[in-house]
Amino acid sequence: MDDISMKPQQVTITALSEEGEGIGRLDGMAVFVPGALPGETVECVLVEQKKNYARGRLTQILAASPARVAPPCPYFPECGGCQLQHLDYPAQLEAKRVTVQDALERIGGFKGIEVPLTLGMDAPLRYRNNGQYPIRKVNGQVRIGFFKAGSHEVIDIKDCLIQPEINGRVVAALKTWIQETGVTTYNPKTQEGVLRHLMIRHSNVTGGLMVVLVATVKAMHGEAALVARLVGAVPEIESLVLNTNTKPGSQVLGPQNKVLFGTERIYGEIDGFEFGISPLSFFQVNTAQTKVLYQKAIEFADLKGSETVFDVYSGIGTISLSLSRKARKVYGIESVRPAVEDAVENARRAGVEHVEFIAGKAEDVMPRLAEQGIRPDVVVLDPPRKGCEPEVLRTLLDMKPEKIVYVSCKPSTLARDLKILCGGGESGLEEPAYKLVAVQPVDLFGETGHVETCVLLSHKNS
Ligand code: SAH
């Protein structure tokens, strides 16, 4: 293929990418086709061509997958939030299993690994505990919804099927208030206007809501009327916060919060522990499936009670506290200081004293702990999408914990890191250090292409 041609090309789709696009091959080159499903033969026009891959726009489905369904959501595929509404749920779980298996084989160099079926929800609906809705006015009409796929245009959405139904009531009440008061909305091009985002978070402890309005100002006109309007319409609101974000760019929240009504935080429960959720704290968005994922991590760690454990990338301490039930000592390592402060407070509230949280980058903290002669028996890794820094993996290879449990939200970086921990050859190790014992994908993000994976490694000498 020399140039991008407008001529439709026929492609057979064999897998889904981590972003939920169909993947096929043309003359040996990978072609990503959004909207196409594994097992389908489709026609597409190439819209982008790089050295190693191309991207196609689906023009016709020549042979549809039997797993293709009518999308339950009327905003699909225009809305950029979901990518797999047109694939039935069992097939989504299987496609994610294949994504993990492919990454381990292709990038990790593992052969003959049998990845079991992705652990899923009963139905991938209404599962999110956190919704972030951009707010815009277009020709005088208020839009509160999500960005259109591949753009910054906001689609007005009355009810998002992966969010709780009650969110629609908050959206409707806010919209009426904006229309009535004439308050301006943000224009990212001119950086003018007041209201930027609506965030709604849910407590699985009380069933109550935290509503955060993100604005470019520190105070709003008519705050009391706003409170009366929103809380009047949705009495489940336990906390209403004004967050100020004056910075241009795509980051939703700014650093400053002012409570307009109710409490400063709501609480989420996982594994019997309660976690304070404030506007800026990280909390996994699918609480029920997070429990499934962490249970797997705990099962893989198989602690006896005498171990020193590292929970690296510990966030607000969710995994650390669960692990603390059966460990002599747990060290949580986390780079975001407010998250560490939350973690310390969560441990204090739970009365857990043998967990220590250290603020700093894992790649700096781990070598320091090694120098102090602190050696873990078991390490849990739960890094962001980009995976672990090489220094973290090098330190692990020196520390030689008996077990490493790797919780990953991106199969490709997981596979890359596992290759370093397990591989000889390119890892620079004379002998492979770890062996891959078990893999389990878990679905936290139904209807989207993302998948979480929990992996158990054990040291060859243990
Ligand atoms: N285990 C937690 C958080 C996982 S998300 C939970 O499940 O809730 C990944 C975490 O890694 C985030 O809290 C992020 O702030 C943190 N992080 C990102 N880069 C880091 C680094 N270099 N060192 C330590 N923590 C980091």
Side-chain angles (χ1 to χ4, degrees):
M1 288 184 302
D2 299 325
D3 54 2
I4 296 187
S5 111
M6 288 309 285
K7 196 166 124 285
Q9 309 268 354
Q10 187 170 323
V11 184
T12 298
I13 305 298
T14 52
L16 283 180
S17 74
E18 292 174 340
E19 309 302 329
E21 307 143 305
I23 311 176
R25 294 205 164 264
L26 263 183
D27 301 338
M29 175 191 281
V31 188
F32 295 87
V33 188
L37 295 172
E40 294 190 327
T41 303
V42 300
E43 245 179 33
C44 66
V45 173
L46 297 187
V47 289
E48 187 185 347
Q49 194 164 342
K50 291 270 158 66
K51 201 157 149 248
N52 299 321
Y53 69 90
R55 201 167 291 283
R57 181 169 51 77
L58 181 63
T59 48
Q60 201 185 346
I61 299 164
L62 301 174
S65 160
R68 182 175 275 273
V69 292
C73 171
Y75 303 103
F76 182 85
E78 199 191 4
C79 171
C82 291
Q83 298 78 43
L84 298 180
Q85 294 259 351
H86 57 323
L87 183 58
D88 78 358
Y89 193 50
Q92 288 183 28
L93 298 177
E94 168 60 12
K96 291 180 186 191
R97 185 194 75 75
V98 171
T99 302
V100 173
Q101 173 123 11
D102 279 358
L104 291 177
E105 286 176 357
R106 213 166 27 80
I107 303 167
F110 296 95
K111 299 276 175 299
I113 299 235
E114 279 298 318
V115 175
L117 188 59
T118 312
L119 297 175
M121 304 162 240
D122 291 340
L125 297 173
R126 310 288 184 200
Y127 63 80
R128 287 188 62 106
N129 62 33
N130 184 337
Q132 300 185 343
Y133 304 77
I135 307 173
R136 299 281 183 273
K137 270 186 200 167
V138 180
N139 301 327
Q141 290 299 307
V142 183
R143 292 186 184 180
I144 303 180
F146 296 109
F147 292 120
K148 200 170 164 174
S151 115
H152 277 96
E153 186 186 331
V154 174
I155 310 176
D156 192 40
I157 289 185
K158 286 199 173 59
D159 179 31
C160 165
L161 292 180
I162 63 172
Q163 297 287 352
E165 224 169 336
I166 192 173
N167 288 21
R169 277 164 49 207
V170 180
V171 168
L174 179 64
K175 202 181 275 177
T176 313
W177 181 79
I178 296 171
Q179 223 117 35
E180 282 172 7
T181 55
V183 58
T184 55
T185 60
Y186 188 64
N187 179 338
K189 288 205 183 93
T190 61
Q191 291 160 37
E192 285 167 344
V194 173
L195 281 183
R196 292 179 73 148
H197 264 86
L198 163 69
M199 175 164 87
I200 310 175
R201 301 183 79 167
H202 286 252
S203 163
N204 67 336
V205 177
T206 61
L209 271 59
M210 167 179 274
V211 173
V212 182
L213 281 180
V214 185
T216 50
V217 293
K218 292 185 178 147
M220 306 266 289
H221 293 297
E223 283 174 1
L226 169 67
V227 169
R229 170 60 68 110
L230 291 188
V231 180
V234 188
E236 291 87 344
I237 295 174
E238 290 176 359
S239 165
L240 178 58
V241 177
L242 177 66
N243 173 275
T244 308
N245 183 5
T246 53
K247 266 202 183 158
S250 58
Q251 187 150 334
V252 173
L253 295 162
Q256 201 183 345
N257 294 307
K258 179 169 106 172
V259 177
L260 301 180
F261 167 80
T263 54
E264 256 177 47
R265 52 188 62 197
I266 57 171
Y267 289 89
E269 176 273 330
I270 295 177
D271 193 19
F273 293 105
E274 285 191 0
F275 298 91
I277 300 172
S278 50
L280 298 176
S281 23
F282 173 86
F283 193 68
Q284 293 278 8
V285 300
N286 182 337
T287 318
Q289 285 298 97
T290 297
K291 293 183 183 191
V292 174
L293 179 68
Y294 290 177
Q295 249 359 90
K296 204 30 96 177
I298 287 159
E299 179 193 317
F300 282 176
D302 192 23
L303 298 177
K304 304 292 181 234
S306 58
E307 295 91 340
T308 298
V309 183
F310 283 9
D311 174 19
V312 188
Y313 310 95
S314 52
I316 57 167
T318 38
I319 300 180
S320 309
L321 286 186
S322 286
L323 293 167
S324 76
R325 286 218 167 91
K326 268 195 168 183
R328 190 184 62 77
K329 171 94 190 187
V330 181
Y331 292 90
I333 301 167
E334 163 62 46
S335 62
V336 172
R337 193 165 283 276
V340 173
E341 286 161 11
D342 282 349
V344 168
E345 174 61 16
N346 291 328
R348 193 196 61 76
R349 270 170 49 90
V352 175
E353 290 178 349
H354 58 299
V355 175
E356 189 178 324
F357 292 101
I358 303 170
K361 289 187 173 167
E363 52 275 27
D364 302 333
V365 174
M366 302 244 311
R368 220 165 57 219
L369 291 175
E371 269 170 33
Q372 292 166 20
I374 299 172
R375 195 196 145 261
D377 303 296
V378 176
V379 172
V380 176
L381 301 168
D382 185 10
R385 291 172 66 85
K386 68 178 185 337
C388 298
E389 293 294 325
E391 192 55 35
V392 171
L393 302 174
R394 267 199 296 276
T395 311
L396 283 174
L397 290 168
D398 285 344
M399 286 177 157
K400 302 185 180 54
E402 276 104 75
K403 278 180 210 152
I404 298 175
V405 178
Y406 195 137
V407 178
S408 155
C409 53
K410 193 167 164 74
S412 53
T413 56
L414 167 72
R416 178 202 68 199
D417 291 351
L418 293 185
K419 185 174 186 180
I420 294 172
L421 292 169
C422 298
E426 281 173 45
S427 64
L429 300 172
E430 307 220 329
E431 285 287 317
Y434 283 89
K435 58 176 183 285
L436 195 144
V437 179
V439 184
Q440 179 62 62
V442 181
D443 188 30
L444 267 67
F445 308 103
E447 311 287 10
T448 80
H450 298 293
V451 61
E452 294 271 333
T453 312
C454 191
V455 170
L456 172 62
L457 305 180
S458 84
H459 199 272
K460 290 270 162 124
N461 301 337
S462 59

